[in-house]
Each structure stands twice: as C-alpha cells, then as structure tokens.
Amino acid sequence: MEAEMSKKMPGVGSFIVSVILLMASNGCAAGKEKEIGVYEIKRGDFSLNFTNWGATVISVILPDKNGKLNDVVLGYDSVEEYENDTTYFGSVVGRVANRIGGARFTLNGKNYTLVANEGHNTLHGGKKGFSDVIWSVKSHEKDSHITFTYDSFDGEQGFPRQSRVSVTYMFVGTNKLAVRMKAKSLNKPTPINLAFHGYWNLGGHASGNILSHTIQIFGSKITPVDQELIPTGQITPVQGTPYDFLKPQTIGSRINDLPNGYDINYALDGQDLHRAAIVWERRSGRKMELWTNEPGMQFYTGNKLVDVKGKGGFVYRSHAGFCLETQGFPDAVNHPNFPSQIVNPGEIYDHIMIYRFTAV
Ligand SMILES: *[C@@H]1O[C@H](CO)[C@@H](O)[C@H](O)[C@H]1NC(C)=O
Ligand SMILES: *[C@@H]1O[C@H](CO)[C@@H](O)[C@H](O)[C@H]1NC(C)=O
Ligand SMILES: *[C@@H]1O[C@H](CO)[C@@H](O)[C@H](O)[C@H]1NC(C)=O
C-alpha cells in the first residue's frame, strides 16, 4: 500500500505542457454572463457541474471500481442554497483565503483594515468574499473546460487595489482535472491567495464520514495556530504528532487526539509542480491524487458541519467530507517569515491544481 501510494505519478510532464497550451488558448469567449446559472463539463463517465456563484463546483461524478457512478463532493440541490451557504462548499475563496489575524495588515507602511467575519479575524476574504459574488462565464466548452472571471474592486472587503481573477476547470486526458487560478493586480501591490474549497467524500457525498479514508500528505511541517486558528508564525515538524501523514494512514487514526479534528496548513515538501496528497477510499476503490505549485495546503476535516441539509436531502454532519485547500500559508500578510502573497503590478498570480482520479 505504501509503495503503491508513493509511486511517481506517470506522464506528469507531458500533460502539464498540454494544460498550459490549452489554457493559453482560451480565446473562445462565450460572452459575459451576470445571471446565475448551472454549467456542465463531461468526458465519458467523468462529469462536473458548476455555478458562477462563487465559481463553485456543484458536483463531481466519478465511477467506482465497478463502474458505479457517485457524486463525490458535498453540496446543495439548488443554486439558491449556495447563496446562504456558510460552509464554502465547492467554492473558490479569496481575495485572501484562510484567516487574517485581527482583520488587518500593513503593506508598504500603510495599515489596511478588513471586514472581520469570524470573531475579529477575516476568513476567506471577508463577509462577502469571492465565494459570495457572481462571476462571469468567460469560456465554456462542455467537453473540455469552463473559465470564470471576476474583477475585484479597490477597497473590496478592505483590500487595496483592483485585481482581475480567473479560474479555469478543465479536463486533462480522461481522468484528470486541472484547476488553474490566475490573478493580477491592475495598479498597486495587493495580497492574493485563492483556494478551491471543495469537500470530498470519495465513497459518495452521502456515504457518511470520511474517517476511514486513507490519506498521505507530502508535507513534513505545519504552521501551528492559536485558539482562534491564527498561525503563531512557527513552522514545526509533524513528526511524532497526529499531523504526521507522511506515510499513508486513515484520517480517523489519530483524529481523537485533537480537540476538533484537522484544520491546519501543511508546508508542502515539493518544489514547482509537486504532489501534495493522495487519498484512497477502500470500498469504492476511488483514489485521488493532488498536485500543486503552491507551498501550502490546508487540511480540513469538516469539523464544523452541523446538520447541513445537502443534496437529495442528505444531512451532512461533522467529518462528512474533507478539504485539501492548496494555497499560500495562512495569515502570511502578518508573518514576514512565510512566503509572500503580495502580487505587484506586472506579476501574475498563477495557482495550479491537478487532480488524478482512478478506481481499482
Ligand atoms: C448537471 O447539470 C445538467 C445540466 O443542467 C443536468 O442535466 C444534470 O442532471 C446535472 N448533474 C448533476 C449530477 O447534478
Ligand atoms: C436564504 O436566506 C434568506 C434569509 O434568511 C431566506 O429568506 C431564503 O429563503 C433562503 N434561501 C434559501 C434557498 O434557503
Ligand atoms: C499601523 O498600525 C500599527 C500597529 O497597530 C501602529 O503601530 C502604526 O502606528 C500604524 N501606522 C499608521 C501609519 O497608521
């Protein structure tokens, strides 16, 4: 099992090249849309539905080892329900994902006060972050991809300067999905840190909890947090702690050693486009590998889900899904020792995620 999981992902070089080429040729604009709609992409048995509310993934349909199809992400039946959502099911969060302590930071000698939406801290971009706005559908081809764009204005939720953001979800081959989040600052420096906030349950969204899933996380350090989940600024080894998933273990193996389950950022070990995690679910045989070019990944086990009425009337409880949110380190704007999230004019923020799904 361990040997199997640590095997190198085949063919990664060639498909990255095709991702970059295909994404660069996104000239086939489908025109601006400000209505909230549902959009599908489909390749064989692998299909996804989206809404432009929050550039959200509504469903991910995948076969299991016997070819049976299941929806493996948590969500709602109607698009309207996403507007009242407080779980961030399937959405893209920003302008700065994760928490900013005290809802403030200083950039080039100027203090910025943000909208606080979790106590006196800012979570996922504020009260009305990118997950709570209507994106435009810039390009959509049912058999290949969808691209959403959003223009964030100067002062939005307290953040300085305009930024233009795009998110593309696209198939690569028959069993890979690439997510590419790009942004640029239009005039002055601004922090940007986007994350895809899907909640996965590889046994099917309505199959119960994810504690028996096996996970391997390629991060030998974490950024510990205080009582309010704000990083202390330390970067500490996982060795000898319940956070050590360097070797595959079930998510539930040591979860009871933690007061609230997992909700922590890993400092990933790899450079450039590197493997972040592998998750495997025994009954369905489904396996998900995740690659990214980001330095961090928040591992969250849906600790705060309390009786959320979801798709098909199914009620999601604590640990009904897990999130692997690749991103920069949380609260980096207040920790000079963390990799910077400041995007200067002329620079491009470019966050790549690649999922590879198999079932055996
Ligand atoms: C996805 O959207 C299409 C088109 O609206 C719809 O026919 C299909 O049932 C949806 N699939 C899921 C799993 O919701
Ligand atoms: C969303 O919340 C508002 C205000 O509480 C409520 O009126 C509305 O029915 C809710 N919509 C859905 C789809 O649950
Ligand atoms: C910014 O905030 C810091 C810490 O609260 C304070 O010491 C400093 O004087 C403030 N600077 C400006 C320019 O307001």
Side-chain angles (χ1 to χ4, degrees):
M1 170 70 175
E2 188 189 326
E4 226 261 282
M5 280 198 141
S6 49
K7 214 161 51 187
K8 260 218 142 190
M9 183 171 175
V12 71
S14 57
F15 79 73
I16 290 318
V17 171
S18 41
V19 171
I20 307 234
L21 288 177
L22 269 160
M23 286 177 168
S25 67
N26 258 346
C28 41
K32 289 238 165 188
E33 282 279 348
K34 277 295 180 189
E35 298 295 304
I36 301 175
V38 175
Y39 305 86
E40 186 179 32
I41 64 173
K42 186 165 168 51
R43 186 165 281 186
D45 279 344
F46 183 14
S47 66
L48 295 92
N49 277 4
F50 304 89
T51 175
N52 54 324
W53 177 266
T56 300
V57 173
I58 298 176
S59 59
V60 177
I61 308 293
L62 281 174
D64 72 3
K65 63 183 174 190
N66 300 315
K68 182 173 176 287
L69 301 182
N70 284 115
D71 184 349
V72 296
V73 290
L74 277 50
Y76 302 105
D77 280 328
S78 73
V79 169
E80 292 71 37
E81 285 164 282
Y82 285 90
E83 296 175 37
N84 285 356
D85 168 72
T86 55
T87 65
Y88 303 94
F89 279 161
S91 61
V92 170
V93 295
R95 173 185 315 195
V96 175
N98 218 308
R99 294 176 176 82
I100 295 180
R104 60 185 178 156
F105 65 96
T106 304
L107 177 59
N108 297 335
K110 189 170 168 357
N111 290 346
Y112 292 93
T113 304
L114 307 172
V115 175
N117 60 328
E118 193 187 60
H120 59 273
N121 305 315
T122 299
L123 174 64
H124 296 328
K127 204 174 165 75
K128 195 169 170 57
F130 292 178
S131 51
D132 279 319
V133 297
I134 302 175
W135 294 57
S136 299
V137 178
K138 179 160 178 271
S139 168
H140 176 215
E141 283 176 21
K142 196 176 166 190
D143 61 354
S144 71
H145 74 278
I146 187 161
T147 298
F148 299 102
T149 58
Y150 180 68
D151 285 332
S152 175
F153 56 87
D154 187 10
E156 186 168 4
Q157 301 292 299
F159 288 101
R161 298 302 153 189
Q162 278 176 280
S163 59
R164 179 162 294 160
V165 186
S166 74
V167 176
T168 295
Y169 297 93
M170 75 175 294
F171 292 124
V172 180
T174 54
N175 67 341
K176 297 182 203 87
L177 177 77
V179 185
R180 190 171 195 183
M181 299 172 235
K182 293 181 81 169
K184 59 184 175 188
S185 164
L186 295 189
N187 40 17
K188 295 242 177 83
T190 187
I192 297 176
N193 181 40
L194 306 180
F196 170 61
H197 208 298
Y199 285 66
W200 301 90
N201 186 325
L202 298 181
H205 80 96
S207 67
N209 71 52
I210 44 74
L211 299 179
S212 66
H213 284 49
T214 299
I215 189 167
Q216 184 173 19
I217 298 177
F218 299 89
S220 49
K221 291 181 177 150
I222 53 165
T223 52
V225 290
D226 67 16
Q227 304 274 2
E228 296 182 8
L229 301 178
I230 303 301
T232 59
Q234 296 165 288
I235 303 175
T236 61
V238 294
Q239 201 183 14
T241 75
Y243 294 104
D244 185 350
F245 287 102
L246 289 166
K247 291 181 178 160
Q249 310 239 28
T250 60
I251 292 177
S253 56
R254 292 151 300 158
I255 199 168
N256 292 330
D257 297 349
L258 301 169
N260 269 316
Y262 294 93
D263 195 357
I264 195 78
N265 171 62
Y266 282 79
L268 297 172
D269 293 334
Q271 300 287 320
D272 302 322
L273 190 71
H274 52 274
R275 188 158 52 180
I278 304 176
V279 189
W280 182 65
E281 201 272 325
R282 185 180 298 273
R283 276 168 304 167
S284 64
R286 289 193 187 93
K287 185 164 110 174
M288 177 174 105
E289 293 175 66
L290 174 61
W291 296 67
T292 188
N293 61 346
E294 286 290 305
M297 182 178 73
Q298 188 82 8
F299 175 42
Y300 175 53
T301 46
N303 314 321
K304 292 180 194 134
L305 295 176
V306 181
D307 296 341
V308 180
K309 191 164 160 284
K311 289 181 238 187
F314 189 79
V315 177
Y316 303 125
R317 304 215 158 86
S318 193
H319 314 315
F322 66 89
C323 304
L324 296 174
E325 306 156 52
T326 60
Q327 57 185 275
F329 294 3
D331 201 27
V333 286
N334 290 312
H335 299 284
N337 60 320
F338 287 179
S340 172
Q341 288 165 3
I342 304 302
V343 177
N344 294 299
E347 292 173 352
I348 305 266
Y349 168 90
D350 190 358
H351 176 172
I352 296 174
M353 307 175 84
I354 292 171
Y355 293 96
R356 177 174 182 258
F357 299 100
T358 48
V360 282

